[in-house]
PDB file of all heavy atoms in Angstrom:
ATOM      1  N   SER A 187      61.097 -48.597 -75.317  1.00  0.00           N
ATOM      2  CA  SER A 187      60.250 -47.455 -75.476  1.00  0.00           C
ATOM      3  C   SER A 187      59.220 -47.669 -76.564  1.00  0.00           C
ATOM      4  O   SER A 187      59.501 -48.262 -77.590  1.00  0.00           O
ATOM      5  CB  SER A 187      61.111 -46.218 -75.833  1.00  0.00           C
ATOM      6  OG  SER A 187      60.294 -45.091 -76.077  1.00  0.00           O
ATOM      7  N   LYS A 188      58.036 -47.136 -76.293  1.00  0.00           N
ATOM      8  CA  LYS A 188      56.956 -47.147 -77.281  1.00  0.00           C
ATOM      9  C   LYS A 188      56.764 -45.755 -77.859  1.00  0.00           C
ATOM     10  O   LYS A 188      55.812 -45.487 -78.637  1.00  0.00           O
ATOM     11  CB  LYS A 188      55.654 -47.682 -76.700  1.00  0.00           C
ATOM     12  CG  LYS A 188      55.723 -49.118 -76.301  1.00  0.00           C
ATOM     13  CD  LYS A 188      54.376 -49.606 -75.735  1.00  0.00           C
ATOM     14  CE  LYS A 188      54.448 -51.094 -75.423  1.00  0.00           C
ATOM     15  NZ  LYS A 188      53.203 -51.642 -74.870  1.00  0.00           N
ATOM     16  N   GLU A 189      57.653 -44.830 -77.497  1.00  0.00           N
ATOM     17  CA  GLU A 189      57.564 -43.459 -78.010  1.00  0.00           C
ATOM     18  C   GLU A 189      58.209 -43.391 -79.374  1.00  0.00           C
ATOM     19  O   GLU A 189      59.081 -44.227 -79.774  1.00  0.00           O
ATOM     20  CB  GLU A 189      58.199 -42.503 -77.022  1.00  0.00           C
ATOM     21  CG  GLU A 189      57.467 -42.551 -75.660  1.00  0.00           C
ATOM     22  CD  GLU A 189      58.040 -41.596 -74.653  1.00  0.00           C
ATOM     23  OE1 GLU A 189      58.210 -40.392 -74.948  1.00  0.00           O
ATOM     24  OE2 GLU A 189      58.328 -42.054 -73.531  1.00  0.00           O
ATOM     25  N   PRO A 190      57.831 -42.413 -80.209  1.00  0.00           N
ATOM     26  CA  PRO A 190      58.331 -42.406 -81.604  1.00  0.00           C
ATOM     27  C   PRO A 190      59.810 -42.409 -81.741  1.00  0.00           C
ATOM     28  O   PRO A 190      60.378 -42.999 -82.649  1.00  0.00           O
ATOM     29  CB  PRO A 190      57.711 -41.104 -82.156  1.00  0.00           C
ATOM     30  CG  PRO A 190      56.466 -40.923 -81.348  1.00  0.00           C
ATOM     31  CD  PRO A 190      56.799 -41.369 -79.976  1.00  0.00           C
ATOM     32  N   ASP A 191      60.550 -41.760 -80.822  1.00  0.00           N
ATOM     33  CA  ASP A 191      62.009 -41.670 -80.898  1.00  0.00           C
ATOM     34  C   ASP A 191      62.714 -42.943 -80.494  1.00  0.00           C
ATOM     35  O   ASP A 191      63.892 -43.141 -80.811  1.00  0.00           O
ATOM     36  CB  ASP A 191      62.568 -40.461 -80.149  1.00  0.00           C
ATOM     37  CG  ASP A 191      62.196 -40.481 -78.679  1.00  0.00           C
ATOM     38  OD1 ASP A 191      61.985 -41.578 -78.119  1.00  0.00           O
ATOM     39  OD2 ASP A 191      62.130 -39.374 -78.062  1.00  0.00           O
ATOM     40  N   ARG A 192      62.045 -43.816 -79.773  1.00  0.00           N
ATOM     41  CA  ARG A 192      62.578 -45.093 -79.277  1.00  0.00           C
ATOM     42  C   ARG A 192      63.818 -44.918 -78.369  1.00  0.00           C
ATOM     43  O   ARG A 192      64.550 -45.887 -78.149  1.00  0.00           O
ATOM     44  CB  ARG A 192      62.883 -46.039 -80.429  1.00  0.00           C
ATOM     45  CG  ARG A 192      61.729 -46.513 -81.270  1.00  0.00           C
ATOM     46  CD  ARG A 192      60.737 -47.332 -80.467  1.00  0.00           C
ATOM     47  NE  ARG A 192      59.837 -48.081 -81.296  1.00  0.00           N
ATOM     48  CZ  ARG A 192      58.642 -47.685 -81.697  1.00  0.00           C
ATOM     49  NH1 ARG A 192      58.155 -46.510 -81.265  1.00  0.00           N
ATOM     50  NH2 ARG A 192      57.896 -48.469 -82.453  1.00  0.00           N
ATOM     51  N   LEU A 193      64.062 -43.694 -77.902  1.00  0.00           N
ATOM     52  CA  LEU A 193      65.230 -43.484 -77.039  1.00  0.00           C
ATOM     53  C   LEU A 193      64.961 -44.050 -75.626  1.00  0.00           C
ATOM     54  O   LEU A 193      63.812 -44.214 -75.227  1.00  0.00           O
ATOM     55  CB  LEU A 193      65.519 -42.015 -76.939  1.00  0.00           C
ATOM     56  CG  LEU A 193      65.918 -41.288 -78.248  1.00  0.00           C
ATOM     57  CD1 LEU A 193      66.172 -39.818 -78.012  1.00  0.00           C
ATOM     58  CD2 LEU A 193      67.146 -41.945 -78.853  1.00  0.00           C
ATOM     59  N   ALA A 194      66.004 -44.319 -74.918  1.00  0.00           N
ATOM     60  CA  ALA A 194      65.876 -44.786 -73.559  1.00  0.00           C
ATOM     61  C   ALA A 194      65.504 -43.614 -72.649  1.00  0.00           C
ATOM     62  O   ALA A 194      66.130 -42.597 -72.654  1.00  0.00           O
ATOM     63  CB  ALA A 194      67.232 -45.379 -73.083  1.00  0.00           C
ATOM     64  N   ALA A 195      64.419 -43.776 -71.909  1.00  0.00           N
ATOM     65  CA  ALA A 195      63.868 -42.705 -71.108  1.00  0.00           C
ATOM     66  C   ALA A 195      64.000 -43.034 -69.614  1.00  0.00           C
ATOM     67  O   ALA A 195      63.945 -44.156 -69.201  1.00  0.00           O
ATOM     68  CB  ALA A 195      62.397 -42.469 -71.424  1.00  0.00           C
ATOM     69  N   TYR A 196      64.212 -41.973 -68.855  1.00  0.00           N
ATOM     70  CA  TYR A 196      64.176 -42.093 -67.384  1.00  0.00           C
ATOM     71  C   TYR A 196      63.747 -40.748 -66.796  1.00  0.00           C
ATOM     72  O   TYR A 196      63.740 -39.722 -67.464  1.00  0.00           O
ATOM     73  CB  TYR A 196      65.440 -42.656 -66.799  1.00  0.00           C
ATOM     74  CG  TYR A 196      66.598 -41.667 -66.775  1.00  0.00           C
ATOM     75  CD1 TYR A 196      66.869 -40.911 -65.598  1.00  0.00           C
ATOM     76  CD2 TYR A 196      67.488 -41.551 -67.833  1.00  0.00           C
ATOM     77  CE1 TYR A 196      67.950 -40.023 -65.571  1.00  0.00           C
ATOM     78  CE2 TYR A 196      68.580 -40.664 -67.738  1.00  0.00           C
ATOM     79  CZ  TYR A 196      68.807 -39.926 -66.611  1.00  0.00           C
ATOM     80  OH  TYR A 196      69.889 -39.081 -66.539  1.00  0.00           O
ATOM     81  N   LEU A 197      63.457 -40.752 -65.508  1.00  0.00           N
ATOM     82  CA  LEU A 197      63.022 -39.560 -64.809  1.00  0.00           C
ATOM     83  C   LEU A 197      64.130 -38.959 -63.983  1.00  0.00           C
ATOM     84  O   LEU A 197      64.811 -39.685 -63.257  1.00  0.00           O
ATOM     85  CB  LEU A 197      61.814 -39.913 -63.867  1.00  0.00           C
ATOM     86  CG  LEU A 197      61.356 -38.793 -62.937  1.00  0.00           C
ATOM     87  CD1 LEU A 197      60.713 -37.634 -63.704  1.00  0.00           C
ATOM     88  CD2 LEU A 197      60.402 -39.343 -61.892  1.00  0.00           C
TER      89      LEU A 197
END
Side-chain angles (χ1 to χ4, degrees):
S187 174
K188 294 182 179 179
E189 300 181 51
D191 57 27
R192 296 295 198 267
L193 297 179
Y196 74 93
L197 172 67

